[in-house]
Amino acid sequence: MRFNAPDTHLPADTLITTPLATSPEQNVSEVEIEQAIRSGIENYFDDCRARIPAFIDRHFHYPGAIGTNRMALGWDMLRAPINLLWAPVYALACLVKVLTPKRTGLMWLHGLANRIPAGFTTRVQQHISHLILVDLLNNGQEGSLLESSSLEAYLIEALEAVYERHTYKPVDHQQFSTLIEPLIADALSQYRITRTASADITNSISCTVLGAFAFQKFTPGGIGLGVVLASMLAKTLAAQDFIFGETIGSWYYSLFPPEPSLATTASVMVAVMASLAAFAAFSGIIFDPVQAAVGLHRRRLHKLLDHLQRDVALSTQSSFRPKDQFVARILDTFDMIKSGLL
C-alpha cells in the first residue's frame, strides 16, 4: 500500500521532504505524521540491532568465517595488495576533505580529494556488504531495502496507525528510496574500507609478534620486519665470504654487523610486503573470529546502524566514517619512523 502526498511541508529535519499536509476533514497533524515516521524508523533499526549477534555468529565466527573469507581465492589475491598500497593515498584524501571545508577557497582541492577512489572492491568486501544488506538490513529478504518486507513495512505500519483514525488520502513516500539507498550505499562503502584497514592493522600486529618471538626485535610493521630480515641476510652473505670461514665469520659479524646494501634492503622489503599483502587477503579467516570475540564487529555494526538511523531520520548526508583507516596509517607512520625512513 502506498500513500499519496497532500500539500504543505514538514519540518526540514524529517525524512519526508515532499509536501505533506492535512485537509480539514483529515485532521491529521504534521506532528502526528512526523512522530509516526520517527517511530517506524526507530522500530526498524531496533530490530536491525537485535539481529547483530546472530549475524556475527553466522558470518564471523567459525565455521562461518571460513565461508565469508574463502571469496578471497582468485583475483582478490591481486586486489588486496593493491588496496593496501593505495590505502595511504585514500586516507590522505579523506583527511584533506575534512580539513578543507567547501566554503573555503580550496574547493578545487576538496573536489580533487573527493574524486580519489577507495581502491578496488574485493569479492570478500562485496560479499560482506551483500550480507549486511540482506541479512541485517532486510531481514534475510533479497531485493531493495524499500520493499514491503523491510523498512517500508515499518513506515506503512506507523503511518496507517495514524491515518486509520481519520478520513485520509494516501501519502506518497516513494522518494524514501531516492533518499535512503544512496546513504546505505555510502555506509557500506565505508564499511568495506574498514576491511582493508583491519587487514593492515592485522599485518602490523603480526609483524610485531613475529619480530618479538622470532628475532627478539621490535618490528611494528612490514618495513621494520624487512629491515631486520635484510640485516640478517647481509650478515649471512658476509659470513659465507669471510676469509677465515663461515663459522668465524658469523662470530665476527655478530659483533660487527654489516650494513645491508640498498638493493638488498629494497628487495627484502618488497618480498615481505608482497607476502603480507597475500596474507591480508585471507587474514579474516583468523582475525574475524578474534574481532568477533572481543566485540569489534559488534561495535562497528552498531555504529553503522546508529549513523544510518540518524541520516535517514534527519535527511542528512552519510555520516558513517570509521576511524580504522587512520589508525592503520598511524601504525604505518610509526613503522617508518622506527625503521629510519622518516
Side-chain angles (χ1 to χ4, degrees):
M1 177 179 179
R2 292 186 179 276
F3 299 97
N4 294 325
D7 304 324
T8 59
H9 293 280
L10 279 176
D13 65 343
T14 62
L15 175 63
I16 302 290
T17 55
T18 49
L20 277 173
T22 59
S23 62
E25 56 268 48
Q26 284 178 291
N27 297 322
V28 182
S29 69
E30 293 180 354
V31 174
E32 287 180 289
I33 296 173
E34 180 180 345
Q35 289 176 344
I37 291 172
R38 290 189 179 279
S39 175
I41 293 172
E42 184 176 344
N43 291 337
Y44 166 74
F45 281 101
D46 284 346
D47 285 352
C48 288
R49 291 185 185 94
R51 290 193 287 270
I52 286 178
F55 179 86
I56 292 174
D57 287 341
R58 190 159 54 247
H59 301 298
F60 294 129
H61 283 295
Y62 291 122
I66 297 175
T68 299
N69 288 277
R70 68 182 176 187
M71 298 286 179
L73 286 171
W75 285 107
D76 277 12
M77 295 293 293
L78 181 61
R79 295 188 187 104
I82 294 175
N83 284 345
L84 287 178
L85 293 174
W86 183 252
V89 177
Y90 182 73
L92 179 61
C94 292
L95 191 61
V96 167
K97 286 190 286 186
V98 171
L99 297 178
T100 55
K102 294 182 179 180
R103 295 185 297 274
T104 68
L106 298 175
M107 272 290 296
W108 64 272
L109 185 58
H110 188 280
L112 178 63
N114 206 38
R115 289 194 295 271
I116 294 179
F120 290 108
T121 301
T122 65
R123 290 181 64 209
V124 173
Q125 291 172 338
Q126 289 175 334
H127 180 60
I128 292 176
S129 295
H130 180 72
L131 292 175
I132 292 174
L133 184 61
V134 173
D135 288 3
L136 198 60
L137 299 180
N138 220 21
N139 198 19
Q141 301 295 318
E142 295 281 352
S144 169
L145 183 65
L146 272 293
E147 291 180 354
S148 60
S149 61
S150 191
L151 178 56
E152 188 176 37
Y154 287 79
L155 296 171
I156 289 177
E157 181 180 359
L159 289 169
E160 282 182 338
V162 173
Y163 274 82
E164 69 183 3
R165 300 193 297 269
H166 306 275
T167 303
Y168 65 90
K169 296 179 181 179
V171 176
D172 182 9
H173 57 283
Q174 182 178 2
Q175 87 174 62
F176 286 174
S177 178
T178 304
L179 171 68
I180 296 170
E181 288 182 353
L183 294 175
I184 293 172
D186 189 78
L188 292 180
S189 173
Q190 291 297 318
Y191 191 86
R192 289 194 293 268
I193 292 171
T194 67
R195 297 291 299 182
T196 300
S198 294
D200 212 351
I201 294 170
T202 296
N203 281 345
S204 296
I205 295 173
S206 301
C207 289
T208 303
V209 172
L210 180 61
F213 285 95
F215 311 118
Q216 289 75 52
K217 299 284 187 180
F218 179 52
T219 55
I223 295 175
L225 185 60
V227 169
V228 170
L229 291 176
S231 298
M232 293 177 63
L233 178 61
K235 177 181 174 182
T236 300
L237 294 176
Q240 290 176 350
D241 295 334
F242 194 66
I243 188 172
F244 297 116
E246 184 174 350
T247 302
I248 298 178
S250 298
W251 295 342
Y252 176 80
Y253 288 117
S254 63
L255 297 174
F256 306 100
E259 283 290 328
S261 66
L262 182 61
T264 299
T265 302
S267 300
V268 173
M269 279 188 181
V270 169
V272 169
M273 298 300 285
S275 300
L276 289 174
F279 170 70
F282 295 97
S283 61
I285 294 177
I286 301 172
F287 290 98
D288 271 340
V290 174
Q291 292 183 62
V294 300
L296 286 178
H297 281 305
R298 177 180 54 80
R299 285 193 291 271
R300 194 175 293 147
L301 289 171
H302 271 286
K303 187 175 181 180
L304 184 149
L305 292 177
D306 290 344
H307 281 266
L308 196 54
Q309 179 177 351
R310 186 181 72 179
D311 295 335
V312 169
L314 301 182
S315 300
T316 58
Q317 294 181 346
S318 178
S319 60
F320 181 55
R321 293 292 182 271
K323 305 300 186 293
D324 304 55
Q325 60 174 322
F326 298 109
V327 174
R329 303 290 72 79
I330 291 172
L331 292 176
D332 288 344
T333 302
F334 182 66
D335 184 25
M336 288 188 285
I337 292 174
K338 176 67 172 58
S339 304
L341 298 183
L342 285 179

